[in-house]
């Protein structure tokens, strides 16, 4: 370890330092070096001891929470592929097929995203920050499996450049970058992001065809158009349904939520209140289903409120997207309101929006814009309390 | 019967290196110094030059803007050196101490019979005035003002903090005399905060003429700022003074004996100190005699004060005016392979993402205290604010700490005022700085914010 560090310090570092051949690429070297070694920086001002946590570990914990969803997503892609083709396949075959489809998306996401981040850091002469580590994993997990890789790349580029770097980089963005990537893909290439062609890979080998009666629609798509679905609530809970790669299994999302809540890195306040918000909207729909304008919508509105949370990306969005501390509400009280309205709007949009059955993306992006307003009012309450105290004092005197 | 206030938010950081509760044999005082860097925002003027003979209580420096406020020598002897820094700023005035201390005579007096002005004049002339800190802004108190209250914290909850009962032992009479004098300075109460769960020692237990409130909970329960926030928060236009109990004793001696007798007791703490005990010494004493041969080898950090708010000094350094302990830690200059990834149990963290959480749980179950041997490594690099809700866990004020810090960073004076900047000083934010994931220099930011506020508001 010491030898490796000495090698880096003595042989490599000088090239990147002031006056070195590659000085312009200093942020790249620094990024790699600090990835390998936590630097021996000591506290120079203020407190002399510091907490053992840093942003790298924080981000890493979120990635850990996402891993079960990623692995399950790979298997699920293969599973649905072979069912569509009517071909028997072993668990490993299903998993490997899925991995071959999904891993390139992960590679493209990290490659393009980190590449752009490095580029910006080199141009600005900043240190590389860790923000993209989580976004890079989230983006492939919320894409349909059939999306071309170049679209993933473009979406990532949009998210990194327009979603983050123009605001100043990690910690400065106002929208969740991963969701921006999805929103970009959705509005730019709608035929690749919705409908019933994209969720299951039906690329056929020679002499094969998809089985008769195959429908590639997601459970949520079914519900939105017909009011019913062939997938049971248990299927949806376990995640054996078509959908974006990582979002189908509520069970595994809950496992991730467990890790995030336990470590304190994801806000339980946001998650809890989003579930309450979703349940409230679901219940309202249950009550008013009889007034629906069409039988399909009536059936959709009548879906038991708790089942609404099993379909689509609701759980995934609530646990991994809504809890983004940068784009979400930052005051503890504000987090309750922020989460509640995310849940509420997610279910409302999904039921009422005829163009798009998934509401969580728009709900979170909308609440991203509202988060500063929520915080503003929470903070104003504190300010008013202080002003009232002063007024009382002055009156008393 | 005094009230008990429970402080919930905060954290006790148990470090290796607590001082044994016994006094070490007295060491001779060779040199002592007054360090202008201890006193923020004062424009100093020298009252002596190198080679001058001084007594204990002879002014070495004074405040250019408030000439009656003197900074006096704690020992008698010869002015050995005036150490200057950039732009000829005075860093230290060192005095070579006589074997026997001779004192300036300020005349003894019963503070109960003195007028407020006479008390102020006596304290200012004898070098006791800088002991009073003023909030807002955390500066030396302005003798022209009358504070609405004076707060004294009778316990220290910082990591490795000394036992104030021991620090103040045997000073009952002087402490009471000091309190009698201080009581004349405020239009309101003198508040004394005590630890609800530990013995406080005779000096504090027997005092009269103060309002005692007890506090229970983790650090920062012992910070005077927390006491102010609980009992009488500072509104715009109000002034509160604070003073350390050991300084009250020195003031008491001034009135009882008529001299500036700056003897205090300190604790030698920290993992790298070999013989950790309490010592009798003097304000501004040179640290070398205490540390010589008493610290382990390797690269160390010597801190005058505690690990949260103390000042980094060299082995040739001097005890700070407001410090009651000296701490020595290892410098954390070694890079750590995959340090951000590998879960090591010897790192302290309030986050449950590190294994120290499990150690804290084990501590609760077994009742055995786990102590951390921490160094000065920051465990990561500076980043923008990303994680939210973290400061709030250790910040027991009705204030939004992150929002206030951001207002300070952007220099938004009105917002700073609205968010409660008058109520806080740097030390109140020290734990926020410790737990910060983004390694933001919090206390430095607060100081800059306070300076800007003072400049703008006058």
């Amino acid at each position: 370890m010491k030898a490796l560090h000495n090698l880096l310090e003595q042989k490599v570092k000088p090239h990147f330092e002031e006056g070195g051949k590659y000085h312009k690429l200093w942020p790249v070297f620094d990024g790699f070096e600090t990835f390998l070694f936590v630097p021996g920086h000591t506290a120079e001002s203020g407190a002399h001891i510091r907490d053992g946590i840093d942003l790298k570990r924080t981000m890493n914990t979120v990635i850990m929470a996402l891993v079960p969803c990623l692995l399950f997503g790979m298997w699920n892609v293969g599973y649905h592929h072979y069912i569509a083709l009517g071909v028997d396949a072993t668990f490993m075959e299903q998993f490997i097929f899925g991995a071959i489809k999904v891993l390139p998306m992960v590679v493209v996401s990290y490659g393009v995203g980190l590449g752009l981040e490095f580029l910006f850091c080199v141009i600005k002469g900043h240190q590389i920050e860790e923000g993209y580590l989580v976004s890079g994993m989230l983006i492939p997990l919320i894409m349909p499996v059939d999306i071309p890789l170049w679209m993933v790349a473009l979406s990532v580029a949009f998210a990194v450049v327009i979603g983050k770097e123009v605001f100043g980089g990690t910690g400065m963005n106002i929208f969740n970058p991963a969701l921006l990537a999805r929103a970009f893909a959705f509005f730019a290439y709608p035929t690749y992001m919705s409908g019933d062609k994209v969720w299951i890979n039906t690329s056929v080998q020679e002499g094969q065809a998809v089985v008769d009666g195959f429908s590639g629609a997601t459970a949520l798509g079914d519900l939105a158009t017909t009011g019913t679905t062939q997938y049971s609530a248990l299927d949806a809970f376990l995640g054996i349904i078509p959908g974006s790669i990582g979002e189908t299994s509520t069970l595994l999302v809950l496992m991730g939520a467990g890790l995030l809540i336990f470590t304190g890195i994801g806000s339980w306040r946001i998650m809890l209140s989003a579930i309450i918000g979703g349940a409230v909207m679901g219940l309202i729909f249950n009550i008013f289903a009889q007034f629906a304008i069409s039988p399909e919508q009536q059936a959709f509105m009548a879906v038991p409120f708790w089942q609404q949370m099993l379909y689509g990306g609701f759980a995934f969005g609530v646990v991994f997207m809504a809890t983004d501390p940068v784009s979400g509400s930052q005051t503890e009280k504000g987090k309750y309101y922020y989460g509640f309205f995310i849940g509420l709007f997610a279910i409302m949009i999904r039921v009422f929006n005829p163009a798009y059955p998934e509401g969580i993306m728009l709900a979170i992006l909308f609440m991203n814009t509202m988060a500063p307003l929520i915080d503003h009012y929470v903070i104003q309450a504190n300010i008013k309390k202080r002003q009232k105290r002063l007024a009382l004092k002055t009156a008393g005197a | 019967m005094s009230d008990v206030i429970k402080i919930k938010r905060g954290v006790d950081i148990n470090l290796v290196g607590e001082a044994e509760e016994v006094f070490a044999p007295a060491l001779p005082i060779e040199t002592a110094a007054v360090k202008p860097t201890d006193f923020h925002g004062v424009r100093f003027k020298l009252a002596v030059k190198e080679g001058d003979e001084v007594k204990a209580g002879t002014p070495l420096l004074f405040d250019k803007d408030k000439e009656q406020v003197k900074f006096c020598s704690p020992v008698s002897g010869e002015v050995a050196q005036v150490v200057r820094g950039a732009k000829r700023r005075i860093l230290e005035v060192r005095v070579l101490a006589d074997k026997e201390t001779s004192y300036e005579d300020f005349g003894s007096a019963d503070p109960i019979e003195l007028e407020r002005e006479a008390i102020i004049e006596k304290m200012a002339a004898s070098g006791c005035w800088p002991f009073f800190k003023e909030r807002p802004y955390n500066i030396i108190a302005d003798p022209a003002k009358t504070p609405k209250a004076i707060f004294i914290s009778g316990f220290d909850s910082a990591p490795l903090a000394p036992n104030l009962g021991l620090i103040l032992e045997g000073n009952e009479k002087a402490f009471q005399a000091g309190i009698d004098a201080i009581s004349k300075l405020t239009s309101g109460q003198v508040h004394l905060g005590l630890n609800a769960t530990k013995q406080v020692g005779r000096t504090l237990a027997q005092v009269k003429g103060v309002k005692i409130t007890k506090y229970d909970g983790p650090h920062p329960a012992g910070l005077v700022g927390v006491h102010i926030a609980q009992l009488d928060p500072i509104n715009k236009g109000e002034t509160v003074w604070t003073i350390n109990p050991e300084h009250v004793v020195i003031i008491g001696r001034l009135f009882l004996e008529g001299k500036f007798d700056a003897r205090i007791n300190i604790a030698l703490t920290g993992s790298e100190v070999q013989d950790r005990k309490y010592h009798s010494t003097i304000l501004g004493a040179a640290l070398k005699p205490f540390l010589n041969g008493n610290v382990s080898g390797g690269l160390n950090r010597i801190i005058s004060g505690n690990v949260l708010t103390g000042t980094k000094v060299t082995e040739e350094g001097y005890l700070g005016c407001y410090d009651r302990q000296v701490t020595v830690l290892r410098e954390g200059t070694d890079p750590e392979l995959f340090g951000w990834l590998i879960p090591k149990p010897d790192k302290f963290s309030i986050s449950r993402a590190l294994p120290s959480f499990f150690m804290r749980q084990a501590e609760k179950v077994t009742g055995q205290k786990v102590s951390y041997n921490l160094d000065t490594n920051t465990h990561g690099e500076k980043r923008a604010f990303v994680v939210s809700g973290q400061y709030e866990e250790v910040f027991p004020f009705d204030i939004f700490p992150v929002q206030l810090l951001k207002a300070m960073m952007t220099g938004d004076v009105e917002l700073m005022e609205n968010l409660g900047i008058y109520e806080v000083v740097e030390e109140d934010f020290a734990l926020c700085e410790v737990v910060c994931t983004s390694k933001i220099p919090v206390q430095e930011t607060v100081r800059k914010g306070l300076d800007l506020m003072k400049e703008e508001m006058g």
Side-chain angles (χ1 to χ4, degrees), chain A residues 358-378:
Chain A
E358 182 47 283
I360 190 78
M361 172 183 93
L362 293 175
I364 294 174
L365 285 175
F366 176 67
M367 289 310 293
N368 281 170
T369 52
M370 290 295 143
L373 187 71
I374 294 173
D375 284 340
H376 172 78
Y377 282 111
V378 172

Side-chain angles (χ1 to χ4, degrees), chain B residues 74-215:
Chain B
V75 290
S76 62
E78 182 192 336
V79 178
Q81 197 184 1
V82 177
V83 183
R84 290 179 185 269
K87 295 184 185 168
R88 293 189 49 77
R89 186 175 170 225
I90 306 166
L91 300 180
E92 281 169 5
V93 181
R94 297 179 182 172
V95 180
L96 206 58
D98 293 338
K99 280 211 168 63
E100 281 292 315
T101 311
S102 54
Y103 295 91
E104 294 277 359
D105 184 17
F106 296 99
S108 61
D110 183 356
I112 295 171
E113 283 162 19
L114 288 180
E115 291 291 316
R116 183 173 187 270
E117 278 63 36
I119 287 177
I120 292 175
E121 199 183 313
K122 202 176 178 69
M123 288 184 191
S126 61
C128 288
W129 194 259
F131 299 154
F132 291 99
K133 286 279 195 88
E134 182 172 305
R135 294 184 187 221
Y137 311 133
N138 199 27
I139 47 173
I140 293 178
D142 181 355
K145 286 184 185 165
T146 305
K148 69 167 178 170
I150 296 176
F151 280 81
I152 304 167
S153 173
F155 68 112
D156 195 337
S157 53
L160 300 177
N163 175 351
L164 278 190
L166 211 54
I167 293 262
L168 301 170
E169 202 173 67
N171 287 303
E172 294 82 4
K173 229 173 130 195
F175 188 72
Q176 185 61 55
I179 292 289
D180 292 341
I182 289 168
S183 311
K184 291 269 177 91
L185 303 181
T186 169
S187 57
Q189 280 277 0
V190 175
H191 291 272
L192 177 64
L194 293 179
N195 195 332
T197 55
K198 286 193 182 135
Q199 287 288 327
V200 295
R202 265 184 307 176
T203 306
L204 295 172
Q206 293 174 359
V207 68
K208 292 186 183 67
V210 291
K211 168 120 179 56
I212 291 179
T213 311
K214 292 188 172 173
Y215 298 87

Side-chain angles (χ1 to χ4, degrees), chain A residues 19-72:
Chain A
K21 241 191 299 184
Y22 308 113
H23 178 55
K24 279 206 160 148
L25 295 177
W26 166 255
V28 179
F29 171 78
D30 185 62
F32 281 110
E33 194 194 19
T34 55
F35 178 81
L36 273 178
F37 292 97
V38 169
H41 292 173
T42 53
E44 283 308 320
S45 76
H48 300 267
I49 54 168
R50 299 296 165 94
D51 196 291
I53 199 162
D54 69 345
L55 204 51
K56 282 194 180 72
R57 189 172 187 93
T58 308
M59 295 292 180
N60 185 48
T61 308
V62 185
I63 293 177
M64 294 296 187
L66 282 166
V67 166
C69 292
L70 173 76
L71 295 178
F72 179 84

Side-chain angles (χ1 to χ4, degrees), chain A residues 35-36 43 47-48 51 53 262, chain B residues 301 307 338 349 352 433 439:
Chain A
F35 178 81
L36 273 178
H48 300 267
D51 196 291
I53 199 162
F262 173 75
Chain B
R301 172 164 307 189
V307 296
F338 291 119
S349 180
R352 290 181 296 263
E433 185 167 68
K439 315 294 172 190

Side-chain angles (χ1 to χ4, degrees), chain B residues 3 55 58 237-238 276 322 324 337 372 398 433 439 450:
Chain B
D3 304 324
K55 290 181 179 174
T58 309
E238 292 177 341
R276 297 185 286 258
Y322 302 97
R324 53 173 85 110
L337 185 68
Y372 299 89
D398 185 18
E433 185 167 68
K439 315 294 172 190
L450 290 170

